[in-house]
Amino acid sequence: MNDKNSRLDIIIIGSGIGGLCAGALLARYGKKVLICESHSLPGGAAHSFSRDGFKFDSGPSFYCGLGSQKPSLNPLKQVLDLLGESLEVVPYDPLGHYHFPEFTLPIYSDLNAYRQAISQITPAGAMQLERFEKRLLSLYDCLKDIPTIALRSDWQVIPTLILKYGQSLIKFLPQLQVINASVGQIMDQYISDPWVRRLIDLECFLLSGLKAEGTIAPEVAFMLGERTRAGVEYPKGGSEAIVNALVRGLKRWGGELRVKSHVQKILVEKGKVSGIKLQNGEVIRANIVISNASIWDTYEKLLSPEDLPKAYLKKSLETPAIPSFMHLHLGIKADGLEGLTGHHVVVHDSQKDLTEPGNTCMISIPSVWDQTLAPNGHHLIHTYTLELWEGWEKNADYPEKKKQRAQSLYQALEKVIPDIRQRVVLELIGTPLTHAHYLRRYRGTYGPAISAEQGLFPHCYTPITGLYRVGDSTLPGIGVPAVAASAILCANTLVSAAQISELIN
Ligand SMILES: Cc1cc2nc3c(=O)[nH]c(=O)nc-3n(C[C@H](O)[C@H](O)[C@H](O)COP(=O)(O)OP(=O)(O)OC[C@H]3O[C@@H](n4cnc5c(N)ncnc54)[C@H](O)[C@@H]3O)c2cc1C
């Protein structure tokens, strides 16, 4: 342990958006922070990678509220603002096209245009949808008054809420029922049209990995409100631009990031955290450790079973997981594809469940917004669909199985670019094993499958003094804005209310 390390206040395990936001914000508060990342690239699910002149996103590509518009309700943008970092973004609308077997629906950020497109298919359904949206938007109206950056995870949030946001709290009173409801419950009140119900299930699935009955109402209220208010946009330079901005912000405020630094163990002495041990044997000490690894990876791999109460450990490890993914990253020839749009969702079979592996395929073509991501005359594509972890192993059948399981992704792409197979100049197929390997995630999961009726995601505390968690296994859940919010809730809990006030004022 060298002198520099002995002065560390906080070690963060993992540089996903959750870990980076927590680390950078704590550095901004003046804490001495070190982030240890296992991979050679920061960003976790949001990292980008380059092959043959194409710069691919490994995960997210739907973003909202990251541009210059102020104030932004996106927690990630709130962190970037405090760090003094900004992003160049390309706004676009429609935000995507949903391709059902029967027809294709353009999805507009503007709710009137969205409803109008739906009324072409089902006028009665469009009217029902309007009432459903109104109900959720009244919740959004309350949520938007209280900025995430002012919140924390302990009791000290109460005086802040009462003194600063008392008026907004009063507005919440009529919303109490909806705050705890699932989208499914609200849908049942307002929507009988089977097609619109399916559309809402799809929107929920894209957001949380669960259908309407599993998704919490505030999540969709926020998505609808922000989509209309701020619009949808893509960061120039891809997801990497976001990761780079956070890393710059971290370093500007004195924090340090070490890549290729796999944490093997969290060190615990008498119920208190005392540091970490890296795979290379190096021990680094700090009294606070924040894990950005998933709940399963943190509790099963990084701690010893005796570090946690037995019942707590059992319950945590039993958290259900959303499946993993098949990924297809392609470089393609772009000639004749003028007018191509960037986001598509293809549902192959209306009779099958949306969540069935291979049935719902997400497509992102970011070079339509930022041509620098692909060589001249080319586009790049990332398409993915849910895939079960079970049954995947690197044996003799693996290469063939990989190709075969990527077929639903090619078939989805053919709906958008019919001659896609003739255009391919670079093909990379990823399986759940690839996902688990590069993202260092338990079973390559998208995240915990905690449905609305099971309650909220767990908060940042653990039973071990000094050990906290951030990221998509913690409150509020999965998605880039959510994990940035989890980082704020954790970081703010580790500083005084006065420090938060001083910074955000
Ligand atoms: C295919 C896909 C598409 C998505 N699309 C969107 C989208 O369009 N919009 C959106 O908002 N969200 C989207 N999401 C969700 C979003 O990307 C994630 O919820 C979010 O990025 C997760 O961030 P995180 O910080 O919680 O965890 P992660 O990104 O998983 O980061 C955890 C980090 O910890 C590191 N780590 C783990 N163990 C160790 C260890 N022992 N030592 C050191 N480091 C370790 C990992 O390497 C990783 O870098 C998508 C996700 C996927 C997979």
Side-chain angles (χ1 to χ4, degrees):
M1 189 176 67
N2 60 31
D3 271 345
K4 196 171 165 217
N5 285 337
S6 68
R7 293 199 310 270
L8 280 178
D9 295 313
I10 295 159
I11 297 167
I12 298 184
I13 303 169
S15 67
I17 299 291
L20 285 174
C21 284
L25 190 53
L26 284 161
R28 180 70 182 85
Y29 281 123
K31 302 282 184 192
K32 202 92 188 111
V33 176
L34 168 67
I35 302 182
C36 292
E37 166 58 49
S38 172
H39 196 2
S40 56
L41 296 168
H47 82 268
S48 303
F49 62 95
S50 297
R51 290 282 187 294
D52 301 349
F54 294 92
K55 192 190 282 173
F56 293 104
D57 291 326
S58 60
S61 58
F62 269 105
Y63 295 106
C64 187
L66 291 179
S68 54
Q69 192 184 51
K70 282 194 181 172
S72 172
L73 300 187
N74 185 330
L76 170 60
K77 176 71 164 64
Q78 293 174 2
V79 172
L80 289 170
D81 283 346
L82 289 181
L83 298 175
E85 289 295 332
S86 59
L87 296 165
E88 205 182 327
V89 297
V90 185
Y92 59 94
D93 201 21
L95 62 92
H97 288 81
Y98 294 175
H99 306 264
F100 295 93
E102 308 81 26
F103 44 76
T104 288
L105 179 73
I107 307 294
Y108 293 95
S109 300
D110 175 70
L111 285 179
N112 288 324
Y114 178 52
R115 248 179 278 116
Q116 205 161 2
I118 292 167
S119 70
Q120 310 285 316
I121 298 157
T122 159
M127 280 163 66
Q128 293 173 4
L129 183 67
E130 186 169 8
R131 291 198 290 273
F132 167 85
E133 284 168 356
K134 245 193 190 148
R135 184 69 192 96
L136 286 177
L137 288 176
S138 65
L139 173 59
Y140 166 75
D141 263 348
C142 303
L143 291 172
K144 77 178 176 15
D145 287 349
I146 303 178
T148 313
I149 198 72
L151 301 178
R152 52 191 297 145
S153 291
D154 59 3
W155 65 269
Q156 291 191 62
V157 75
I158 296 167
T160 310
L161 285 177
I162 293 173
L163 295 174
K164 255 187 131 170
Y165 303 105
Q167 287 299 323
S168 314
L169 282 186
I170 293 168
K171 270 171 62 182
F172 262 109
L173 291 176
Q175 305 292 344
L176 286 179
Q177 259 192 332
V178 189
I179 285 184
N180 289 317
S182 72
V183 178
Q185 285 166 322
I186 299 172
M187 182 163 87
D188 287 344
Q189 280 173 34
Y190 294 96
I191 297 177
S192 57
D193 184 289
W195 190 81
V196 176
R197 288 178 71 88
R198 191 165 167 82
L199 178 66
I200 292 171
D201 269 335
L202 179 60
E203 294 263 40
C204 289
F205 172 62
L206 296 176
L207 198 63
S208 70
L210 301 171
K211 292 192 293 183
E213 80 266 8
T215 304
I216 52 168
E219 199 173 349
V220 172
F222 204 80
M223 178 271 284
L224 284 176
E226 275 301 271
R227 200 154 101 171
T228 320
R229 194 187 72 94
V232 176
E233 55 209 11
Y234 186 77
K236 276 203 166 169
S239 298
E240 186 187 79
I242 298 175
V243 173
N244 288 346
L246 287 170
V247 173
R248 272 197 312 272
L250 167 80
K251 291 183 177 169
R252 171 171 320 132
W253 295 99
E256 192 189 341
L257 166 70
R258 282 208 221 168
V259 292
K260 296 189 197 165
S261 298
H262 184 83
V263 177
Q264 196 175 51
K265 271 281 172 255
I266 296 170
L267 303 176
V268 181
E269 289 164 21
K270 295 185 185 147
K272 283 188 191 164
V273 145
S274 62
I276 56 161
K277 185 176 175 195
L278 297 182
Q279 203 165 38
N280 66 10
E282 186 183 358
V283 168
I284 309 175
R285 301 277 174 194
N287 291 333
I288 294 179
V289 171
I290 301 175
S291 175
N292 182 207
S294 76
I295 186 164
W296 309 277
D297 292 295
T298 303
Y299 288 161
E300 193 156 44
K301 293 193 187 146
L302 297 178
L303 290 168
S304 304
E306 62 275 14
D307 290 333
L308 289 166
K310 248 191 190 149
Y312 176 89
L313 178 61
K314 183 169 179 289
K315 188 166 175 260
S316 301
L317 296 183
E318 281 172 2
T319 306
I322 296 171
S324 187
F325 295 99
M326 284 302 299
H327 293 268
L328 182 60
H329 286 94
L330 296 178
I332 62 159
K333 286 185 243 153
D335 51 295
L337 292 180
E338 296 77 24
L340 186 66
T341 56
H343 274 138
H344 300 265
V345 177
V346 174
V347 179
H348 285 301
D349 187 341
S350 298
Q351 303 309 312
K352 287 188 183 162
D353 198 277
L354 291 169
T355 61
E356 192 168 307
N359 194 27
T360 303
C361 300
M362 283 60 78
I363 299 170
S364 163
I365 314 172
S367 45
V368 306
W369 306 303
D370 180 356
Q371 188 54 64
T372 66
L373 298 172
N376 239 342
H378 292 79
H379 277 304
L380 81 171
I381 296 177
H382 176 203
T383 171
Y384 52 96
T385 184
L386 280 190
E387 175 75 5
L388 299 179
W389 168 259
E390 289 78 9
W392 280 97
E393 34 176 326
K394 285 227 165 132
N395 52 21
D397 299 335
Y398 182 72
E400 192 45 44
K401 182 172 176 183
K402 219 165 112 154
K403 276 197 183 140
Q404 185 249 320
R405 294 299 294 165
Q407 289 314 304
S408 68
L409 295 170
Y410 269 115
Q411 284 150 11
L413 276 169
E414 279 168 343
K415 300 241 169 182
V416 182
I417 307 170
D419 59 348
I420 183 72
R421 293 177 202 251
Q422 284 81 59
R423 292 175 174 274
V424 175
V425 297
L426 174 68
E427 179 198 77
L428 302 167
I429 302 174
T431 70
L433 297 181
T434 325
H435 194 98
H437 174 70
Y438 284 106
L439 273 59
R440 316 294 199 252
R441 285 178 80 91
Y442 165 80
R443 294 172 153 242
T445 174
Y446 182 56
I450 300 175
S451 72
E453 65 268 25
Q454 287 169 296
L456 297 175
F457 277 58
H459 49 62
C460 62
Y461 294 97
T462 73
I464 298 170
T465 307
L467 178 63
Y468 298 84
R469 294 193 307 111
V470 294
D472 60 13
S473 309
T474 63
L475 192 74
I478 301 171
V480 169
V483 302
S486 82
I488 292 171
L489 291 174
C490 180
N492 282 355
T493 304
L494 298 174
V495 298
S496 69
Q499 274 175 292
I500 302 171
S501 273
E502 195 184 321
L503 189 60
I504 66 177
N505 288 339

